Amino acid sequence: MLKISPDETRLITRYIHEISGIFLDESKKYLLETRLNAIAEAEGCRSYQDFYTKAKADASRTIERKIIDAISTNETLFFRDTNPFQLLQHKILPELIDARTPKVPSMKTPLKVWSAASSTGQELYSVAIVLKELLGDLSRYNVKLLGTDISDTAIAQASSGKYNKFEIERGLARDKLQKYFSLTGQSWKINDQIRSMVNFRKLNLMLPFTGLGKFDIVLCRNVAIYFSQEDRKKLFNKIADILEPDGYLLIGSTESLTGICPRFIPKRHLRSIFYQLK
Amino acid sequence: MKTMRILVTDDDPIIRKLFAKRLRQEGYQVTLAPDGSEAARLLDAMPFDILITDLVMPGGIDGIALLKRAKEISLDIEVIVITAHSSIDTAVDAMKKGAVDYLEKPIHFDELFLRLDKIREIKSLQKSADDLREAIQVTENSAAQTIQELEMINSNLLIKIDEMEEILTDFSQNAEARIERALKILEPR
Ligand SMILES: C[S@@+](CC[C@H](N)C(=O)[O-])C[C@H]1O[C@@H](n2cnc3c(N)ncnc32)[C@H](O)[C@@H]1O
């Protein structure tokens, strides 16, 4: 196994921050070694300095992608924390739909939701399932559910809508499993109707949000925890910019916006907190 | 981990007996069923870790139907199907439908024991992972509650500070009136 020197640790952590915003301090030396070793060795590198140089020079950005996949934590589950999804079902979605339903009956009700670090898709599919259960026939709605993540592998799995036994059992009630998934081989696949409600694509939250438009609901959960305080401020400021004035922001259950973005105020409903613009 | 509970379904009484003998010798808890409907009844009635079933059985419920039934009852039940050498295709089909493995007739028990060990190992790893997750979940829930409470308190305080600032800098009123109004904000509502 390749050993990483203190200088190389600084070099690599700075590089990781540059490409992903993920902030690792020097105590994460062990994490770097265990997660990057295989990639570095596969590239035939004899030191991490060597690895860094090679990654920087790689025009195809393949190594960069592999590093991001190795370093990012994709941990997620269906209906994570439960409460936010009840909040969506009983408060946020009904209120938004009320507010967005056009006066002209022939026009569809628009609704845009963004899962800003969607990982392997469970979060966005959970929203889609809540919407489907709430609205039933979706033909009178123009629902756009977008999931983005920096990891190509995560996006690929999210798009496939396939989950193994361990993933599917986490957070998903039996009735929903039976209703919205079918077993193919050793994996469970989300049904076409739910799949067709969502879109996934790659996006680095550190970059400007161009061409996304405005959203009624943004879920930015359990991703900012990996960023520095400075980067968190920038991120939530950008989110404030793309949120509709009466839109809703949901963050992770152990996260806080105190001292991060004064443009948002927390509100409490049904045992969970959501944020709205001041 | 406690011994695994295995349900063996085969219409051949000799094979059933053989399974019972060999598996019990290895310390497994074995229940036998002569056909699909009896097996389905047993699956409904009590918990099993593993179902070993012949694919071809007389009566309404064959191996594949039983596999589906077992998975409906619990995703935790691992299913091993038994097949004649000539019907490997059906075995592959069973794997596609969620079986973990298949055994060819005649049964090589040593091979079966190895596979059962593997399944046991995976199940116990999964149990540890589930336990860890559960522990994390409990910690996370209580942390979340604390953070959310602090977030609300903090936000209310910030609102009060804003209001105070507004009142204190409202020079249309004299100092005394401003202070009195500002102090009101500090009273619990
Ligand atoms: C722990 S998962 C959170 C998934 C989901 N939101 C949830 O709460 O269950 C964190 C995700 O953030 C992604 N991520 C990390 N840095 C990112 C960045 N700069 N831009 C976009 N996504 C990023 C990771 O790839 C990972 O999939």
Side-chain angles (χ1 to χ4, degrees):
Chain A
M1 177 144 145
L2 287 179
K3 282 275 157 238
I4 189 164
S5 74
D7 276 349
E8 286 171 328
T9 307
R10 273 190 290 278
L11 193 66
I12 300 276
T13 50
R14 193 151 14 94
Y15 175 61
I16 288 172
H17 178 254
E18 199 179 294
I19 57 177
S20 70
I22 298 172
F23 180 79
L24 302 164
D25 62 31
E26 269 132 57
S27 68
K28 295 287 158 54
K29 177 175 172 299
Y30 168 78
L31 187 114
L32 291 180
E33 278 179 346
T34 49
R35 297 210 180 166
L36 298 184
N37 190 62
I39 312 172
E41 285 188 347
E43 292 296 328
C45 301
R46 269 173 294 136
S47 70
Y48 278 96
Q49 172 69 54
D50 201 16
F51 182 48
Y52 170 76
T53 315
K54 201 153 190 176
K56 284 285 266 194
D58 173 16
S60 74
R61 295 191 161 191
T62 319
I63 306 179
E64 178 182 310
R65 274 207 290 275
K66 285 185 185 156
I67 294 176
I68 291 173
D69 276 350
I71 286 296
S72 61
T73 307
N74 298 123
E75 165 74 7
T76 186
L77 61 152
F78 289 100
F79 296 95
R80 183 171 191 167
D81 303 326
T82 328
N83 288 338
F85 294 92
Q86 307 221 323
L87 184 70
L88 279 171
Q89 183 174 355
H90 297 294
K91 178 177 172 71
I92 297 182
L93 290 170
E95 281 185 6
L96 274 174
I97 284 161
D98 250 13
R100 299 287 185 268
T101 304
K103 303 268 170 335
V104 193
S106 62
M107 272 164 70
K108 292 185 175 184
T109 308
L111 193 70
K112 274 183 78 184
V113 184
W114 179 29
S115 164
S118 51
S119 187
T120 39
Q122 285 89 328
E123 180 173 276
L124 194 60
Y125 285 126
S126 302
V127 175
I129 289 172
V130 168
L131 263 171
K132 178 72 194 149
E133 305 235 303
L134 192 69
L135 306 178
D137 177 17
L138 291 164
S139 60
R140 284 187 300 113
Y141 302 89
N142 185 8
V143 176
K144 290 215 158 71
L145 305 181
L146 174 70
T148 62
D149 200 283
I150 197 175
S151 157
D152 290 284
T153 328
I155 289 295
Q157 187 186 340
S159 301
S160 79
K162 279 187 183 168
Y163 299 94
N164 67 31
K165 176 171 173 298
F166 303 106
E167 295 163 334
I168 205 80
E169 281 183 337
R170 296 183 61 200
L172 202 61
R174 272 220 88 83
D175 62 316
K176 297 209 171 69
L177 173 60
Q178 309 275 20
K179 209 159 147 197
Y180 299 111
F181 291 83
S182 57
L183 185 63
T184 48
Q186 298 292 323
S187 59
W188 294 78
K189 192 166 185 302
I190 191 100
N191 75 24
D192 293 344
Q193 210 181 18
I194 302 288
R195 177 63 190 85
S196 67
M197 293 168 69
V198 304
N199 265 303
F200 291 98
R201 73 170 143 132
K202 184 173 172 164
L203 178 86
N204 179 354
L205 294 173
M206 292 294 111
L207 301 178
F209 300 164
T210 39
L212 289 178
K214 292 240 171 192
F215 291 95
D216 301 301
I217 303 170
V218 174
L219 297 98
C220 184
R221 304 166 71 217
N222 307 300
V223 59
I225 48 175
Y226 302 103
F227 301 157
S228 70
Q229 196 79 352
E230 271 323 295
D231 288 332
R232 285 181 206 178
K233 286 183 184 165
K234 286 187 204 144
L235 171 61
F236 284 104
N237 233 327
K238 285 191 288 179
I239 291 178
D241 291 339
I242 52 93
L243 195 65
E244 293 283 358
D246 61 346
Y248 295 81
L249 166 68
L250 297 175
I251 66 174
S253 71
T254 53
E255 296 177 83
S256 150
L257 288 189
T258 296
I260 303 248
C261 189
R263 294 167 69 187
F264 286 108
I265 40 170
K267 298 182 182 172
R268 193 205 288 273
H269 186 81
L270 287 173
R271 288 200 285 147
S272 76
I273 286 190
F274 59 92
Y275 293 80
Q276 287 198 294
L277 291 168
K278 258 193 186 144
Chain B
M1 198 181 151
K2 58 167 183 15
T3 68
M4 292 197 290
R5 293 154 302 193
I6 304 180
L7 174 61
V8 178
T9 312
D10 200 306
D11 55 328
D12 183 338
I14 298 176
I15 293 194
R16 277 205 304 277
K17 273 214 189 95
L18 191 61
F19 263 109
K21 184 164 159 252
R22 297 295 308 267
L23 287 170
R24 280 181 188 136
Q25 274 170 359
E26 289 292 310
Y28 292 106
Q29 285 179 37
V30 187
T31 307
L32 303 172
D35 55 44
S37 8
E38 174 62 8
R41 196 190 63 75
L42 286 165
L43 283 171
D44 270 329
M46 52 179 122
F48 290 97
D49 301 300
I50 293 183
L51 165 69
I52 299 176
T53 179
D54 198 355
L55 275 176
V56 192
M57 288 183 296
I61 304 181
D62 65 2
I64 295 282
L66 190 59
L67 159 70
K68 270 184 137 166
R69 188 66 171 270
K71 288 284 169 189
E72 270 165 28
I73 290 167
S74 165
L75 288 176
D76 287 334
I77 302 178
E78 298 300 352
V79 182
I80 298 175
V81 297
I82 309 169
T83 167
H85 181 63
S86 54
S87 57
I88 292 294
D89 284 354
T90 359
V92 172
D93 183 41
M95 302 276 293
K96 280 194 189 143
K97 296 203 162 81
V100 275
D101 219 331
Y102 66 88
L103 290 171
E104 272 181 60
K105 282 180 192 168
I107 311 291
H108 296 289
F109 279 93
D110 287 339
E111 204 179 309
L112 172 62
F113 297 149
L114 282 178
R115 294 185 191 178
L116 290 176
D117 281 347
K118 267 268 164 319
I119 293 175
R120 188 214 302 269
E121 199 179 307
I122 291 169
K123 276 184 181 290
S124 102
L125 279 176
Q126 207 210 329
K127 166 109 179 29
S128 321
D130 285 348
D131 286 355
L132 271 176
R133 271 195 199 113
E134 181 62 30
I136 292 171
Q137 187 104 50
V138 171
T139 319
E140 205 172 285
N141 281 348
S142 80
Q145 220 176 344
T146 315
I147 290 167
Q148 299 196 345
E149 257 146 40
L150 291 174
E151 188 88 337
M152 291 312 293
I153 293 170
N154 186 61
S155 151
N156 287 335
L157 287 175
L158 286 176
I159 290 171
K160 283 187 182 181
I161 291 172
D162 283 352
E163 283 173 11
M164 291 243 252
E165 192 178 358
E166 204 171 297
I167 290 167
L168 291 173
T169 53
D170 171 12
F171 295 111
S172 69
Q173 288 188 314
N174 67 34
E176 215 161 299
R178 293 200 307 257
I179 292 170
E180 191 181 334
R181 275 181 60 209
L183 284 174
K184 274 236 160 58
I185 291 172
L186 292 181
E187 286 166 13
R189 291 184 193 174

